Amino acid sequence: MSPYDADDHVDRIVTSSADGEDQAVEAALRPKLLDEFIGQERVREQLSLVLQAARQRGSAPDHVLLSGPPGLGKTTLSMIIAAELGAPIRITSGPAIQHAGDLAAILSSLTEGEVLFLDEIHRMSRPAEEMLYLAMEDFRVDVIVGKGPGATAIPLELPPFTLVGATTRAGLLPPPLRDRFGFTGHMEFYAPVELEQVVRRSAGLLDVEIDPSGAAEIAGRSRGTPRIANRLLRRVRDYAQVRHDGVVDREVAARALEVYEVDGRGLDRLDRAVLTALLKLFGGGPVGLSTLAVAVGEEAETVEEVAEPFLVREGLLARTPRGRVATPAAWAHLGMTPPAQGNALPGL
């Protein structure tokens, strides 16, 4: 399980996974064209060239692979690709394609120039993967009829189409599949200034009155992820509507997110529990993962796959051969003083 997939089973306001409510709201907030898409400037520029060249040639563009953590806009970009090409889009996912026949049914129903978006492409079954090689390269599939020695392969020609694959774990894609994508774009976490633009744009679409300081406060707690920024904006909107006059400024945003236990750096209850246990109980470490998990009352997998990636990325925790260690930034963030070297826990 990837650190990005692990969030799926944890109910957290700062998870980068999308539930039903998020998906419904995201559909309304998604930009429709490449020029409206905020952030990811290098990917946008490269993709713009690919699409413009394809339009000028009057042909389908190369297949596109988008990689990176969830919540950064891979699905949105796939829809933008279809919109820019003026083509329909078919959406499915790797886990939904467990047999080669599932993929053959989808591919055989595509129309010329159609965009096929395949989310979490690394989780597709191996037989379907092998069928996809031929479809991407030669625009045909071999449909197997019969079983055993009497089985025959019937070639089925496909119209030119564009596959857009999305993955949170590009390293799990086999090289033959990765090499068949003509363009690969890696999505990076957003800078706070970019997230401020996302928050202001979403606030306008949601009819939320927000000032620049309120947008900055929400952006600073959004863990570099637009999906989280939009979710926090909706929770702040609720707070402002019920307990204030509906206007979101820095103070209102800070108070609202305090209610939802999201601190100034985007850490939530689980993140702070891990850091607090590491500092208070184990003197900053090093301490083993299983011991740390017991101390916070969580499964080791939850601590490792859900909490630690963000803490490591923020420079608050380090993974070492001897165990987990808190950094000076962790002590400072929780307002605690590191113990003197001679007072460290014995044996650690």
Side-chain angles (χ1 to χ4, degrees):
M1 182 182 293
S2 83
Y4 308 123
D5 297 334
D7 277 359
D8 292 347
H9 64 274
V10 179
D11 184 18
R12 310 170 73 203
I13 193 174
V14 291
T15 178
S16 52
S17 301
D19 59 17
E21 180 191 6
D22 287 323
Q23 292 171 355
V25 174
E26 283 177 5
L29 298 181
R30 281 194 175 108
K32 303 298 189 291
L33 298 173
L34 207 53
D35 288 342
E36 300 172 1
F37 190 88
I38 297 171
Q40 311 296 339
E41 290 187 11
R42 184 175 298 276
V43 173
R44 277 194 297 127
E45 181 181 7
Q46 295 170 345
L47 195 54
S48 175
L49 291 173
V50 170
L51 298 178
Q52 286 184 42
R55 285 198 300 267
Q56 290 175 5
R57 291 192 304 267
S59 62
D62 287 339
H63 302 300
V64 174
L65 177 65
L66 301 173
S67 65
L72 300 186
K74 297 187 292 295
T75 301
T76 298
L77 276 181
S78 73
M79 294 181 174
I80 287 175
I81 289 172
E84 294 276 358
L85 295 173
I89 183 170
R90 188 84 55 91
I91 299 176
T92 187
S93 66
I97 301 176
Q98 292 304 311
H99 307 283
D102 299 334
L103 181 62
I106 294 172
L107 293 174
S108 61
S109 64
L110 292 176
T111 58
E112 184 171 353
E114 190 166 356
V115 174
L116 173 61
F117 176 58
L118 188 49
D119 198 11
E120 294 301 294
I121 190 173
H122 65 274
R123 296 172 64 184
M124 188 168 50
S125 69
R126 183 54 57 89
E129 242 174 43
E130 293 172 354
M131 174 179 283
L132 193 58
Y133 297 161
L134 192 61
M136 294 173 69
E137 200 160 44
D138 298 332
F139 296 109
R140 74 180 176 90
V141 294
D142 291 334
V143 180
I144 307 299
V145 178
K147 295 182 179 180
T152 57
I154 301 177
L156 178 64
E157 298 297 324
L158 302 175
F161 69 95
T162 298
L163 174 68
V164 180
T167 178
T168 55
R169 304 190 72 184
L172 292 184
L173 288 179
L177 178 57
R178 216 167 36 237
D179 293 344
R180 282 171 168 78
F181 286 97
F183 171 77
T184 299
H186 180 72
M187 312 284 281
E188 303 283 353
F189 286 105
Y190 280 57
V193 64
E194 294 172 328
L195 286 177
E196 287 182 44
Q197 297 177 49
V198 171
V199 171
R200 288 199 299 270
R201 178 182 180 277
S202 297
L205 294 173
L206 294 172
D207 199 23
V208 177
E209 188 175 347
I210 188 170
D211 70 11
S213 67
E217 187 68 24
I218 294 172
R221 304 184 188 216
S222 298
R223 302 164 79 112
T225 306
R227 177 175 292 155
I228 296 176
N230 286 330
R231 187 184 298 124
L232 295 185
L233 171 63
R234 299 201 308 274
R235 300 291 74 82
V236 170
R237 173 198 60 185
D238 296 344
Y239 179 92
Q241 176 184 326
V242 173
R243 297 191 179 177
H244 288 271
D245 56 3
V247 178
V248 176
D249 57 18
R250 183 182 298 277
E251 183 179 355
V252 169
R255 288 182 178 178
L257 295 176
E258 183 179 342
V259 170
Y260 291 103
E261 300 185 284
V262 180
D263 70 18
R265 293 186 68 161
L267 277 67
D268 71 349
R269 181 204 60 80
L270 177 60
D271 300 320
R272 288 193 301 276
V274 170
L275 284 186
T276 300
L278 181 58
L279 301 184
K280 287 189 174 181
L281 301 181
F282 306 107
V287 63
L289 172 64
S290 58
T291 303
L292 183 58
V294 169
V296 297
E298 298 282 356
E299 296 292 330
E301 181 185 49
T302 301
V303 173
E304 182 177 29
E305 305 290 358
V306 177
E308 285 188 352
F310 179 67
L311 295 176
V312 171
R313 182 161 64 88
E314 283 291 290
L316 300 171
L317 180 145
R319 292 169 170 170
T320 73
R322 297 179 61 203
R324 274 55 178 173
V325 177
T327 66
W331 292 96
H333 183 65
L334 294 186
M336 299 170 62
T337 303
Q341 191 66 29
N343 295 334
L345 295 179
L348 294 180

